[in-house]
C-alpha cells in the first residue's frame, strides 16, 4: 500500500508540473526540436519507431519459441499420462479384473441366477421323490447366467450413451459469421471525408464511458505517440476522452488540438470520428464491435 501511495503521489506531482509547464509554454521561445526543426524531428522519430518495431519483432519471436516449448512439454506430459493409464490397465487385467470397455469400468458379476439355482436345488432335495413317467421327456437344464444377460447390459449401455448425445446448434455460428461480415461491410462504408463525418448525427448512447475509457483512449494514446513521440501528454489524451464523454462536436475538438498538433490535428480528428461513426452505426444495427478499430 505504501508503494502504491508513493507512486500515486509521484504521478500527481508530475501531472501538476506538466500542467504548469504547459500553461507557461511559448512555442516561439521553445528550443524543442519538435518546434524548431520538424523535418529533423521526424527523421529522429522514424529511427526510434524502427527500433521499436525491431524490438517488437524480437519479442514476438521469443513468445513463439516459448509457446512451441510449452506445446512440446504438454505433448510429452500427455504421452506420459497415456503410458501410465496403459500400465494401470495391464495391472488390472493381471489382477483378474475384466474390463469390458473404457467407459463401463470393471465388469460386475451377476450371481443372482446362480444363487437362485442353488436354492432351487436345495428345495428339490427336501421335496418327496416322485417317479417320472416312462415316456417323459427329460427336462433341458439351463446354465445359470453367471455374468448376467449380456444383451440386456449392452442395450442398457447403448440407451445411456444415446441419452448423452447433445444436438449441435449451428445457428449461433452462422449468426456470428453473418455479424462479422456485416461489420466488415460497415467498416468499408465509413467515409473518410471530413465534411461528411462532421455532419453525421452520432448516437451517443453507443459510446458509453467504458468504451471511451478503453478503446478510444487507446486509439488516442497510440496516435499521440506517433505525432509527439516522447512529448506524449496525458492531459492532451484526457482532453480528447472528456470531449467524447461530454458529447461535443468534432469541430470543437479540432479547434482544441490545432495549437498542439497543427497540421496533424485534422488527420487525427477525422480518424477518431470515423471510429465514432462506426460505433454509432453498429449500435443502431444491434452489432457488437468488440476490439475492431478502423485506425
Amino acid at each position: 500500500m505504501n508503494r502504491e501511495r508513493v507512486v500515486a503521489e509521484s504521478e500527481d506531482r508530475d501531472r501538476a508540473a506538466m500542467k504548469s509547464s504547459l500553461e507557461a509554454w511559448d512555442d516561439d521561445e521553445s528550443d524543442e526540436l519538435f518546434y524548431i526543426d520538424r523535418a529533423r524531428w521526424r527523421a529522429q522519430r522514424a529511427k526510434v519507431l524502427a527500433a521499436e518495431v525491431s524490438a517488437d519483432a524480437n519479442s514476438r519471436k521469443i513468445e513463439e519459441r516459448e509457446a512451441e516449448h510449452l506445446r512440446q512439454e504438454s505433448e510429452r506430459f500427455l504421452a506420459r499420462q497415456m503410458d501410465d493409464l496403459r500400465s494401470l490397465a495391464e495391472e488390472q487385467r493381471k489382477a483378474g479384473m475384466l474390463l469390458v470397455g473404457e467407459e463401463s469400468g470393471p465388469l460386475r458379476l451377476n450371481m443372482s441366477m446362480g444363487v437362485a439355482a442353488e436354492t432351487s436345488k436345495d428345495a428339490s432335495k427336501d421335496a418327496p421323490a416322485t417317479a417320472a413317467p416312462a415316456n417323459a421327456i427329460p427336462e433341458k437344464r439351463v446354465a445359470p447366467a453367471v455374468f448376467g444377460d449380456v444383451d440386456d447390459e449392452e442395450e442398457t449401455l447403448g440407451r445411456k450413451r444415446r441419452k448423452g448425445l447433445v444436438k449441435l446448434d449451428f445457428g449461433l455460428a452462422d449468426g456470428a459469421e453473418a455479424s462479422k461480415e456485416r461489420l466488415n461491410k460497415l467498416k468499408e462504408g465509413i467515409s473518410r471525408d471530413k465534411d461528411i463525418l462532421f455532419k453525421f448525427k452520432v448516437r451517443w448512447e453507443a459510446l458509453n464511458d467504458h468504451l471511451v475509457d478503453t478503446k478510444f483512449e487507446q486509439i488516442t494514446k497510440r496516435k499521440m505517440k506517433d505525432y509527439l513521440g516522447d512529448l506524449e501528454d496525458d492531459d492532451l489524451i484526457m482532453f480528447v476522452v472528456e470531449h467524447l464523454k461530454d458529447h461535443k462536436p468534432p469541430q470543437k475538438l479540432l479547434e482544441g488540438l490545432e495549437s498542439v498538433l497543427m497540421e496533424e490535428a485534422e488527420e487525427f480528428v477525422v480518424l477518431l470520428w470515423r471510429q465514432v461513426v462506426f460505433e454509432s452505426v453498429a449500435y443502431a444495427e444491434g452489432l457488437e464491435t468488440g476490439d475492431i478499430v478502423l485506425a
Side-chain angles (χ1 to χ4, degrees), residues 161-227:
R161 287 178 178 174
R162 284 195 294 272
K163 289 180 181 179
L165 297 178
V166 179
K167 182 179 179 181
L168 298 179
D169 186 2
F170 295 98
L172 294 177
D174 294 340
E177 187 64 26
S179 298
K180 184 178 179 180
E181 292 179 1
R182 182 57 184 158
L183 287 171
N184 288 332
K185 291 182 179 179
L186 290 180
K187 285 173 57 180
E188 296 172 358
I190 302 299
S191 175
R192 288 179 169 80
D193 184 85
K194 184 188 76 170
D195 295 333
I196 296 176
L197 290 171
F198 284 15
K199 291 177 182 178
F200 182 84
K201 186 176 181 180
V202 178
R203 297 191 62 167
W204 289 107
E205 61 269 25
L207 276 72
N208 55 56
D209 288 352
H210 176 71
L211 183 66
V212 174
D213 287 334
T214 53
K215 182 182 291 187
F216 282 88
E217 184 172 338
Q218 290 300 319
I219 293 173
T220 304
K221 284 182 178 180
R222 178 164 53 84
K223 297 307 295 182
M224 290 302 166
K225 188 173 183 179
D226 292 342
Y227 294 142

Side-chain angles (χ1 to χ4, degrees), residues 77-238:
F77 173 76
L78 291 175
R80 289 195 298 270
Q81 289 290 96
M82 292 301 298
D83 291 340
D84 292 342
L85 289 174
R86 281 193 290 266
S87 299
L88 178 61
E90 186 63 27
E91 291 176 1
Q92 289 178 339
R93 291 189 186 93
K94 291 180 179 179
M97 298 181 67
L98 301 179
L99 304 177
V100 297
E102 294 180 355
E103 299 179 0
S104 58
L107 181 66
R108 295 190 300 273
L109 302 182
N110 185 0
M111 303 300 295
S112 58
M113 295 297 296
V115 174
E118 290 293 333
T119 305
S120 176
K121 184 177 180 181
D122 294 340
S124 63
K125 288 180 180 180
D126 297 337
T130 57
N135 59 348
I137 299 174
E139 181 181 357
K140 183 178 180 180
R141 295 182 178 274
V142 180
V146 177
F147 295 105
D149 195 332
V150 178
D151 292 337
D152 291 343
E153 287 285 341
E154 291 180 351
E155 183 180 355
T156 303
L157 181 59
R159 283 199 301 268
K160 288 182 179 179
R161 287 178 178 174
R162 284 195 294 272
K163 289 180 181 179
L165 297 178
V166 179
K167 182 179 179 181
L168 298 179
D169 186 2
F170 295 98
L172 294 177
D174 294 340
E177 187 64 26
S179 298
K180 184 178 179 180
E181 292 179 1
R182 182 57 184 158
L183 287 171
N184 288 332
K185 291 182 179 179
L186 290 180
K187 285 173 57 180
E188 296 172 358
I190 302 299
S191 175
R192 288 179 169 80
D193 184 85
K194 184 188 76 170
D195 295 333
I196 296 176
L197 290 171
F198 284 15
K199 291 177 182 178
F200 182 84
K201 186 176 181 180
V202 178
R203 297 191 62 167
W204 289 107
E205 61 269 25
L207 276 72
N208 55 56
D209 288 352
H210 176 71
L211 183 66
V212 174
D213 287 334
T214 53
K215 182 182 291 187
F216 282 88
E217 184 172 338
Q218 290 300 319
I219 293 173
T220 304
K221 284 182 178 180
R222 178 164 53 84
K223 297 307 295 182
M224 290 302 166
K225 188 173 183 179
D226 292 342
Y227 294 142
L228 304 177
D230 296 335
L231 297 177
E232 178 185 343
D233 183 7
D234 290 340
D235 290 336
L236 193 62
I237 295 171
M238 292 309 300

